Amino acid sequence: MLKVPEYASHYNLATKCLESALRVLINLSHDNPAWCKLLLHHELTIHVIVSLITSSYSVRPISAKTAPKDAESEIEDEDLDRDAQAFDRLCLALGLLTNLVQADDEAKDICRKTKLSPTCPSKRACAKTCQCLDRISAIECLVRAHVQHDSADTKLDADGPSKHIVRGHLAVLFGLLMQQSPANEQIVLDALPGASRREKLNALVTFAKDFVGLYAAFMSRIARGEGEEANDEAGDDDGDNGKRASGSRNTSADAQVTEDVVMFLEMLRDQ
């Protein structure tokens, strides 16, 4: 629905529903192997998450090219709003996928074995599995999204914190996918740009280090979403129940994840 021009009038409602669902799944799957396993056993989980990541910066239900000239300023505002919404979806999808990969090693194999096209239009024929001819591994799709995002010139924060957050989060995710998985390591390093293995890994180390100080706060914030303040107040009144409702996380453990990934990437680089 987010990609089809005919459904443009439903865009905002669909976006809010999708973001709410992703936040619920992030909270349920955080440090919860049982929920992660349930999600991973659903055949569409990885396919949908990776599709959201790869398409986050190409969603444009209404095009300025087809709009009347007197509506150009409104279209620009709409594009900015959609860029912001796309960034939110991207962060939520990254957060959910990170939870799954972190909690269950099976996620690494599923990501490698899942095939889809990075440009899949998500038509009815591809509802369950992508049928496009240019299907590649979901891991390679993620690397392409990383490269595309790093070189993209979007209207939203083209060279600001948003860009650093996304590429840092992807670097951490690549590290998690490569840990104890030589097959995934090969796919990631083959797909990354760079003249040498060391150069590629050094770039990931740099991006991941930039993200170390942001990861815990970032994951906690996206899990709470717009209801953060209200939920925090509920937490003050209701104790543990309020904290669970607001998506409370073990921030020290979250920070340790990124530090461990940085050490792993440095070890690979220096081999």
Side-chain angles (χ1 to χ4, degrees):
M1 181 177 287
L2 295 179
K3 295 182 179 181
V4 182
E6 292 90 326
Y7 297 140
S9 61
H10 303 292
Y11 182 89
N12 289 332
L13 178 60
T15 294
K16 290 179 181 178
C17 290
L18 177 59
E19 290 178 0
S20 295
L22 288 171
R23 284 195 172 93
V24 169
L25 292 176
I26 286 174
N27 285 322
L28 290 173
S29 62
H30 177 248
D31 199 22
N32 191 325
W35 260 103
C36 288
K37 191 169 291 293
L38 285 172
L39 290 172
L40 288 170
H41 283 180
H42 195 294
E43 61 180 344
L44 294 180
T45 298
I46 296 298
H47 182 280
V48 170
I49 295 173
V50 175
S51 293
L52 286 172
I53 294 171
T54 58
S55 66
S56 288
Y57 279 86
S58 61
V59 175
R60 287 289 185 274
I62 303 174
S63 173
K65 294 181 180 179
T66 60
K69 290 183 178 180
D70 58 356
E72 286 183 359
S73 60
E74 293 183 9
I75 293 298
E76 289 180 0
D77 291 340
E78 289 175 357
D79 282 349
L80 284 172
D81 288 341
R82 289 194 180 91
D83 276 339
Q85 291 171 338
F87 176 71
D88 287 343
R89 286 197 305 276
L90 174 60
C91 292
L92 289 165
L94 283 171
L96 179 55
L97 185 55
T98 301
N99 280 355
L100 297 176
V101 174
Q102 184 182 340
D104 195 324
D105 285 341
E106 186 181 2
K108 301 176 185 180
D109 295 331
I110 296 175
C111 284
R112 183 178 66 255
K113 295 174 182 177
T114 298
K115 305 289 184 180
L116 67 157
S117 167
T119 58
C120 179
S122 299
K123 298 294 186 180
R124 187 177 297 274
C126 298
K128 287 192 173 181
T129 57
C130 179
Q131 302 297 322
C132 300
L133 297 178
D134 59 339
R135 295 189 304 274
I136 56 177
S137 165
I139 295 177
E140 189 174 350
C141 285
L142 292 171
V143 177
R144 290 193 183 187
H146 166 74
V147 175
Q148 179 183 1
H149 177 78
D150 200 36
S151 60
D153 183 18
T154 62
K155 295 178 182 178
L156 176 69
D157 206 9
D159 193 32
S162 299
K163 191 166 189 174
H164 294 284
I165 287 172
V166 173
R167 70 184 184 185
H169 199 156
L170 280 166
V172 170
L173 179 58
F174 294 150
L176 290 170
L177 285 167
M178 290 191 292
Q179 283 180 332
Q180 299 179 339
S181 180
N184 287 359
E185 179 183 327
Q186 188 68 44
I187 292 174
V188 171
L189 294 180
D190 284 348
L192 282 171
S196 66
R197 171 188 171 93
R198 181 177 179 83
E199 180 181 333
K200 297 175 182 182
L201 286 166
N202 194 56
L204 290 183
V205 168
T206 300
F207 297 152
K209 279 185 174 180
D210 289 342
F211 194 55
V212 166
L214 300 172
Y215 180 71
F218 169 77
M219 289 295 287
S220 182
R221 181 177 64 82
I222 66 169
R224 287 193 295 263
E226 295 179 353
E228 178 175 357
E229 293 181 2
N231 284 329
D232 283 345
E233 292 175 1
D236 292 338
D237 295 336
D238 299 333
D240 291 341
N241 289 334
K243 290 180 181 179
R244 282 194 293 270
S246 67
S248 178
R249 302 175 67 96
N250 186 339
T251 55
S252 61
D254 284 339
Q256 188 62 47
V257 169
T258 54
E259 292 174 4
D260 290 344
V261 168
V262 169
M263 291 177 61
F264 168 73
L265 292 172
E266 288 177 331
M267 179 194 70
L268 283 183
R269 180 196 62 189
D270 298 335
Q271 282 180 348

